[in-house]
Amino acid sequence: MFYRENGQFKASYVEDQRIFKVQQDRVAIIAIVAIAALLVPMLASDYLLRALLIPFLILSLAAIGLNILVGYCGQISLGTGAFMAVGAYAAWNLGVRVPETPLLLQILAGGACATAIGVLFGIPSLRLRGLYLAVSTLAAQFFLDWAFLRIPALTNYSTSGSVSVGSLSFFGLPVESAAQKYLFCLGFVVVFAVIAKNLVRSGTGRQWMAIRDMDIAAGVIGIRPAYAKLTAFAVSSFIVGVAGALWGFVHLGAWEPLAFGLDRSFQLLFMIIIGGLGSIAGSFFGAAFIVLLPIVLTNVPELFGLPLSVDTAAHLEHVVFGALIVIFLIAEPHGLARLWSIGREKLRLWPFPY
Amino acid sequence: MQNRIAQGIRGLAVAGTMAFALTAPSIAAAQAEQFIPLLVYRTGSFAPLGIPWANGKLDYLKMVNERDGGVNGVKLSYEECETAYNTDRGVECYERLKAKNGGGSLFDTQSTGITYAVMDKAPLDKVPVMTMGYGRSDSADGSVFPWSFPMLGTYWTASDIIVQDIAKKMGGADKLKGKKLALVYHDSPYGKEPIPALQALAQKYGFELMALPVVAPGVEQKATWLQIRKERPEYVILWAAGIMTPTAIREAQATGFPRDKMYGIWWAGSESDVKDIGAAAKGYNAIAIQGSADRGKAHDDILKHVYDKDQGSANSRDEVGTVAHTRGMMIQMLTVEAIRTAQEKYGKGKPVTPEQVRWGLENLDITQARLDELGFGNLMRPVKTSCADHMGSSWARIITWNGQKYETTSDWYEADMSVVNPLVKAGAEKYAKEKGLTPRDCSKE
């Protein structure tokens, strides 16, 4: 009823190439961003911002990065955690060695370093496919974990190998309170989500998808596989690296290689599988599912005043969470994004489905 | 009172709901209690250590509420939050509990990773962090780390004491010269932290230090122990956690390395680490934080006031008196005493804010007489903290597994501060420089 597009005509190419072709979608997305930027920092509690929304935003960003590689270009990667670590450690090193560097530049430089490392570890993808590629990216994870533990120069000879950042400021504005940190992350997420969405609709993005769907056929129609695969690795690693730098700088403040271990790589991979491969919106759904749901689940018994001990609650959380993953994947193997788009199609036709 | 009634009426009138009237009394009730957040890991791979530790912390609070009715009449309230030794979860727990019920008095994070992540947040939130026996070793310098309290010892003091005991067994510190000691460590910030102290000691006494990392979680140590068999170090210092400890002892058995020449750090020295190995672990040494392998009057109090009333946190009474459980009790005793000290300054019988608890932690003075009174007389040595010294004391003893239980097998040792202090100072200065902090001037406080 409210979701009807009668009378919305596309009169120019610009209108035809919009990201959100339906007016209601445009209004909704602007409203969501406006609420996220204006209302949420005013109303949300410190806990909600620091413990839930900031990690959600940063991991959504990382999931977008990974989705470009896995969802759009079809190259499986198990080294996402390591590329995040590269972003975090590179940004940190720049900050320690050249203290005058502004925060934004540090974070982007972290992304740039992650790009270089990502492309390097993307080279095997020119010869390897599927599971074999997954194993070779696993090597990146192990190697980089080892490097950050073992090479003292990378952690500025910190005795324990753990590093930490001081107070942050963004062009003179402090990034200290929960709301400031939240807005800082939100800015990155919005900018990179728009860039990513436009990239996947561009010629480059179509090349990635052609490679994903059938690389031989893509080669036959004149797409260079090496170029397409390596650009996917580069763009993906850049975004993942920026997310890593944000995770270290804004969310944790102090970290050790364990924060970017293999578990993180799996976590991100699960996010995009559950959220939806090849969908920017899916990255957000997946991140919400993996980050927010467990915390909500642990708090449920307490909300209802059930006297459960913390370990029982923790075990229960794992059981329910695992079951939900299975249920969602059986209901819709293409992820939450697909469920959402089915719902949307139904809404467009309602009340006269055919 | 009238004010609250007026507020209640206004609330009813404005909101037109019962919600306000229902919540108002609970806020008032919470204010009369001192809230202590408990970060625990009862699940995950380190749970065998985490469970008795968490139970010890919980039991002591229950006992104080039961026996003394709280601290000067202020009941202690508490809430556990499960971290599973995961830093992300630990940070979430910290954020959830820091402002709850009038403010979390202090955080004992039970994890090096969480400590590092929380340490920079704590000064902004004005919440003290106590890391008894772990933490960040250089945070003993209270002038740079006003909110961190690595009470009773750090990894650096522990390293020094282990080397002292080795020297004693070899017949004097001069006998260490030219000898080889191996450090088998968990490859994480936790395991790496003792290395600077051991290197400084190696330089001082002229022994050679072999640092052998073991990849977490530590189930694969064949290569490490083959190297030990090849290089034949005099002693092995084991900086292990969780499954790594029993694995190391079994590997030592397999390669024929004598267990009585092994020293574990306190996290590798609880019953759960050796119980399943039993006799084969006989002779295995570990350093105890103070004297945590013994029993004192405090244990009897817990059994009498908590377990006899069926309020115990552990499934069995036998857990009371184990090393990890006692450690939890000691942590909580220091917490409660810090709250008591803060109350003496800021008003007896009233709950204190986390900021006031910090003052209490910094001005703690637990004498031997007070320890006897608390039932820790034979477990601990006096503790006195100050602005410059957030550790309070560094006394420790060595305990040895006799096949069935741990026995205290050494006298009290105190760490050699001429080795540890320069490291603390250097580390704290570096930290202050990295963060752009100006250290407090402790002589003025």
Side-chain angles (χ1 to χ4, degrees):
Chain A
M1 191 156 44
F2 301 109
Y3 203 67
R4 205 169 286 163
E5 45 191 310
N6 300 13
Q8 296 182 21
F9 301 111
K10 292 158 194 154
S12 66
Y13 284 115
V14 175
E15 280 174 14
D16 193 42
Q17 287 177 351
R18 276 177 166 155
I19 297 179
F20 299 103
K21 296 199 171 60
V22 182
Q23 197 186 4
Q24 286 90 329
D25 281 352
R26 282 197 296 278
V27 174
I29 204 81
I30 289 169
I32 289 172
V33 172
I35 289 171
L38 300 173
L39 275 182
V40 170
M42 281 198 293
L43 297 179
S45 69
D46 215 35
Y47 165 70
L48 199 63
L49 288 172
R50 279 182 197 269
L52 294 176
L53 293 176
I54 291 175
F56 161 68
L57 284 177
I58 299 174
L59 291 179
S60 306
L61 184 61
I64 290 174
L66 184 64
N67 221 333
I68 286 180
L69 187 63
V70 182
Y72 286 98
C73 197
Q75 311 297 308
I76 293 182
S77 166
L78 288 176
T80 329
F83 298 140
M84 280 178 84
V86 172
Y89 279 98
W92 181 81
N93 269 298
L94 185 65
V96 166
R97 281 158 222 278
V98 192
E100 304 83 47
T101 327
L103 180 62
L104 183 65
L105 197 66
Q106 279 182 44
I107 290 174
L108 293 181
C113 281
T115 309
I117 302 286
V119 170
L120 188 70
F121 281 98
I123 291 173
S125 72
L126 306 182
R127 285 295 176 89
L128 299 174
R129 244 187 271 176
L131 284 176
Y132 299 92
L133 179 64
V135 173
S136 85
T137 53
L138 197 61
Q141 178 74 47
F142 287 131
F143 171 74
L144 291 166
D145 266 359
W146 173 87
F148 292 122
L149 272 173
R150 277 283 168 282
I151 304 175
L154 291 178
T155 51
N156 199 19
Y157 304 96
S158 136
T159 48
S160 61
S162 183
V163 301
S164 64
V165 290
S167 51
L168 306 174
S169 71
F170 179 68
F171 294 118
L173 298 169
V175 185
E176 289 287 328
S177 73
Q180 288 160 346
K181 286 184 168 180
Y182 166 79
L183 286 173
F184 186 69
C185 292
L186 185 70
F188 273 94
V189 172
V190 169
V191 169
F192 278 100
V194 170
I195 293 175
K197 183 74 195 173
N198 279 313
L199 259 179
V200 298
R201 300 177 330 131
S202 72
T204 319
R206 284 169 211 281
Q207 289 186 18
W208 295 338
M209 286 186 267
I211 292 285
R212 171 192 68 191
D213 292 340
M214 191 187 258
D215 52 354
I216 295 173
V220 168
I221 59 168
I223 289 167
R224 286 172 293 161
Y227 174 80
K229 285 178 180 174
L230 290 184
T231 47
F233 265 100
V235 172
S236 158
S237 311
F238 185 82
I239 299 178
V240 167
V242 167
L246 287 175
W247 188 257
F249 276 57
V250 181
H251 180 52
L252 294 179
W255 68 94
E256 48 185 297
L258 199 67
F260 301 105
L262 187 59
D263 286 354
R264 182 76 62 216
S265 299
F266 282 131
Q267 193 191 27
L268 286 164
L269 201 60
F270 297 156
M271 271 180 204
I272 59 168
I273 292 173
I274 292 168
L277 289 168
S279 157
I280 298 292
S283 310
F284 287 98
F285 294 142
F289 190 88
I290 300 266
V291 178
L292 305 183
L293 199 63
I295 294 171
V296 172
L297 283 178
T298 15
N299 286 324
V300 164
E302 198 198 344
L303 276 179
F304 290 102
L306 292 175
L308 277 185
S309 64
V310 284
D311 47 342
T312 321
H315 293 308
L316 214 62
E317 171 208 317
H318 287 296
V319 172
V320 175
F321 186 59
L324 279 176
I325 290 178
V326 174
I327 290 168
F328 270 112
L329 286 184
I330 289 173
E332 186 48 71
H334 295 290
L336 300 173
R338 180 86 187 120
L339 278 180
W340 165 241
S341 73
I342 292 172
R344 216 171 131 254
E345 285 309 311
K346 292 222 159 114
L347 268 178
R348 281 168 87 169
L349 300 176
W350 191 83
F352 303 113
Y354 49 81
Chain B
M1 193 65 205
Q2 245 178 358
N3 204 359
R4 200 185 312 143
I5 294 169
Q7 238 178 12
I9 293 167
R10 217 177 305 136
L12 276 171
V14 174
T17 61
M18 283 297 284
F20 191 88
L22 281 170
T23 50
S26 72
I27 291 168
Q31 270 166 355
E33 290 183 343
Q34 183 77 35
F35 177 62
I36 298 172
L38 302 169
L39 265 55
V40 299
Y41 48 94
R42 290 175 181 277
T43 64
S45 54
F46 297 116
L49 171 66
I51 293 169
W53 188 359
N55 287 339
K57 283 164 64 173
L58 210 51
D59 280 342
Y60 191 81
L61 291 179
K62 287 179 183 167
M63 190 266 282
V64 169
N65 275 343
E66 200 66 35
R67 184 188 66 184
D68 312 338
V71 183
N72 295 327
V74 181
K75 281 262 185 199
L76 303 170
S77 67
Y78 42 80
E79 182 175 330
E80 285 197 336
C81 186
E82 173 66 32
T83 68
Y85 203 79
N86 176 330
T87 303
D88 296 358
R89 272 306 174 88
V91 171
E92 194 262 325
C93 283
Y94 167 81
E95 297 291 350
R96 191 188 324 164
L97 298 180
K98 72 180 183 198
K100 210 164 178 174
N101 302 346
S105 307
L106 66 80
F107 279 86
D108 163 38
T109 63
Q110 292 201 180
S111 136
T112 307
I114 300 173
T115 307
Y116 271 81
V118 161
M119 209 155 98
D120 294 322
K121 301 179 197 284
L124 299 174
D125 298 324
K126 305 219 174 299
V127 183
V129 178
M130 182 169 80
T131 56
M132 186 180 101
Y134 56 99
R136 174 178 175 133
S137 299
D138 44 19
S139 66
D141 184 347
S143 66
V144 176
F145 298 91
W147 297 90
S148 299
F149 293 86
M151 307 281 272
L152 305 190
T154 63
Y155 293 146
W156 292 348
T157 62
S159 307
D160 181 71
I161 289 167
I162 290 175
V163 173
Q164 279 186 43
D165 196 60
I166 291 174
K168 199 172 165 198
K169 275 194 188 158
M170 291 177 79
D174 51 320
K175 296 278 195 313
L176 276 169
K177 204 170 177 69
K179 293 283 173 7
K180 210 182 272 179
L181 300 185
L183 169 72
V184 175
Y185 67 95
H186 192 264
D187 201 358
S188 64
Y190 154 69
K192 281 187 190 171
E193 195 135 343
I195 295 175
L198 286 168
Q199 276 167 344
L201 288 163
Q203 212 159 26
K204 185 174 175 197
Y205 296 116
F207 64 84
E208 192 191 325
L209 179 73
M210 285 166 65
L212 303 171
V214 172
V215 178
V219 282
E220 184 46 62
Q221 300 180 26
K222 284 263 184 297
T224 312
W225 286 90
L226 282 176
Q227 214 170 338
I228 286 173
R229 191 159 72 174
K230 207 173 94 201
E231 302 274 338
R232 302 198 169 278
E234 292 293 318
Y235 284 88
V236 168
I237 302 170
L238 191 63
W239 228 269
I243 187 72
M244 183 176 158
T245 320
T247 312
I249 297 171
R250 280 187 204 283
E251 289 294 339
Q253 189 192 2
T255 48
F257 189 87
R259 261 71 73 208
D260 57 355
K261 301 218 160 181
M262 292 172 74
Y263 280 83
I265 179 60
W266 32 66
W267 307 126
S270 339
E271 282 80 357
S272 61
D273 295 314
V274 286
K275 208 161 54 193
D276 295 339
I277 308 176
K282 195 175 166 196
Y284 171 73
N285 303 298
I287 180 172
I289 301 177
Q290 302 264 346
S292 40
D294 289 352
R295 283 182 88 100
K297 193 170 86 43
H299 291 104
D300 303 331
D301 278 352
I302 284 200
L303 288 175
K304 187 172 135 206
H305 292 285
V306 181
Y307 282 81
D308 286 351
K309 292 181 184 157
D310 241 6
Q311 301 278 310
S313 317
N315 291 330
S316 131
R317 295 169 70 100
D318 299 338
E319 198 177 293
V320 180
T322 60
V323 176
H325 189 277
T326 305
R327 197 176 288 149
M329 286 165 55
M330 283 161 75
I331 288 176
Q332 227 48 281
M333 185 274 282
L334 292 172
T335 307
V336 169
E337 290 314 296
I339 291 167
R340 200 186 305 278
T341 311
Q343 277 194 14
E344 269 154 26
K345 180 171 163 85
Y346 296 101
K348 266 190 186 180
K350 278 191 294 189
V352 283
T353 64
E355 211 170 344
Q356 291 164 343
V357 174
R358 193 204 75 80
W359 187 90
L361 280 165
E362 198 169 274
N363 294 280
L364 210 55
D365 184 7
I366 307 178
T367 58
Q368 188 63 46
R370 181 69 189 143
L371 281 175
D372 289 336
E373 213 177 314
L374 290 166
F376 284 85
N378 57 334
L379 294 171
M380 285 178 67
R381 287 242 160 152
V383 183
K384 191 174 186 330
T385 52
S386 67
C387 165
D389 176 16
H390 273 193
M391 206 161 64
S393 86
S394 69
W395 295 101
R397 286 191 284 191
I398 302 293
I399 53 176
T400 306
W401 180 251
N402 70 1
Q404 270 109 39
K405 66 184 193 65
Y406 278 111
E407 282 171 345
T408 307
T409 49
S410 83
D411 268 344
W412 289 100
Y413 288 108
E414 192 170 29
D416 179 358
M417 283 310 181
S418 69
V419 177
V420 178
N421 271 343
L423 291 169
V424 170
K425 229 176 144 52
E429 264 169 22
K430 190 171 164 213
Y431 180 85
K433 206 175 133 236
E434 266 176 26
K435 300 269 167 171
L437 298 172
T438 326
R440 298 188 289 163
D441 187 356
C442 280
S443 58
K444 285 189 189 146
E445 298 199 15

